[in-house]
């Protein structure tokens, strides 16, 4: 699962919808969160200025292709609500995996290697 927070405008790289199709083929769901306005506006930060325009159609297509969902975040409160909604939908599963056998096997191999090297070092190989 991927949560994509963007205005949807592609500036470099491969086609966004094609990348979404590749993700869908691998079973990855993409939940898109659109920020910005459809009319576009200029934002300034740290001495930089950038024109942003929300491309909702691309974001909806990405979500549809990957069986995800599209959300629009017009402000910080909307974004917080979206993340709370997503958090409620996600199910975390905890699995305990026994790794003791792996470490025992690795230790056994190291003992055998040490024994073989000892026999070779002291010329006790028949």
């Amino acid at each position: 699962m991927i949560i994509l927070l963007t205005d949807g405008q592609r500036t470099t790289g491969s086609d966004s919808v094609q990348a979404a199709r590749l993700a869908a083929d691998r079973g990855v769901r993409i939940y898109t969160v659109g920020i910005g306005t459809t009319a576009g506006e200029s934002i300034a930060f740290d001495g930089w200025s950038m024109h942003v325009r929300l491309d909702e159609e691309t974001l909806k297509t990405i979500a549809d292709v990957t069986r995800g969902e599209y959300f629009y975040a017009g402000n910080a409160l909307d974004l917080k609500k979206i993340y709370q909604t997503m958090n409620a939908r996600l199910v975390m599963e905890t699995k305990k995996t026994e790794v003791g056998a792996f470490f025992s096997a690795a230790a056994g191999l190291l003992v055998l290697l040490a024994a073989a090297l000892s026999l070779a070092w002291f010329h006790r190989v028949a």
Side-chain angles (χ1 to χ4, degrees):
M1 177 181 131
I2 296 173
I3 299 173
L4 181 63
L5 177 66
T6 180
D7 63 359
Q9 293 291 314
R10 186 174 62 88
T11 56
T12 62
S14 61
D15 180 53
S16 304
V17 176
Q18 182 61 29
R21 286 189 183 105
L22 291 172
D25 291 344
R26 288 162 178 77
V28 177
R29 287 189 183 184
I30 301 176
Y31 292 85
T32 56
V33 180
I35 56 173
T37 62
T38 54
E41 61 185 48
S42 292
I43 58 171
F45 54 92
D46 290 336
W48 292 83
S49 178
M50 176 186 278
H51 183 75
V52 294
R53 185 182 66 79
L54 178 62
D55 185 1
E56 282 189 303
E57 289 306 313
T58 299
L59 296 177
K60 287 178 182 178
T61 302
I62 291 170
D64 288 341
V65 166
T66 61
R67 295 184 302 134
E69 193 172 343
Y70 168 73
F71 300 94
Y72 172 69
N75 55 43
L77 184 60
D78 290 343
L79 185 60
K80 185 175 181 178
K81 287 178 184 176
I82 290 167
Y83 279 121
Q84 287 173 344
T85 301
M86 291 174 122
N87 194 27
R89 291 182 185 179
L90 298 177
V91 176
M92 300 297 239
E93 182 178 330
T94 303
K95 285 187 177 180
K96 291 187 178 186
T97 304
E98 179 60 44
V99 294
F102 171 76
F103 288 113
S104 296
L109 286 174
L110 287 174
V111 166
L112 289 175
L113 179 65
L117 289 173
S118 175
L119 289 173
W121 182 268
F122 291 109
H123 305 292
R124 296 188 181 212
V125 179

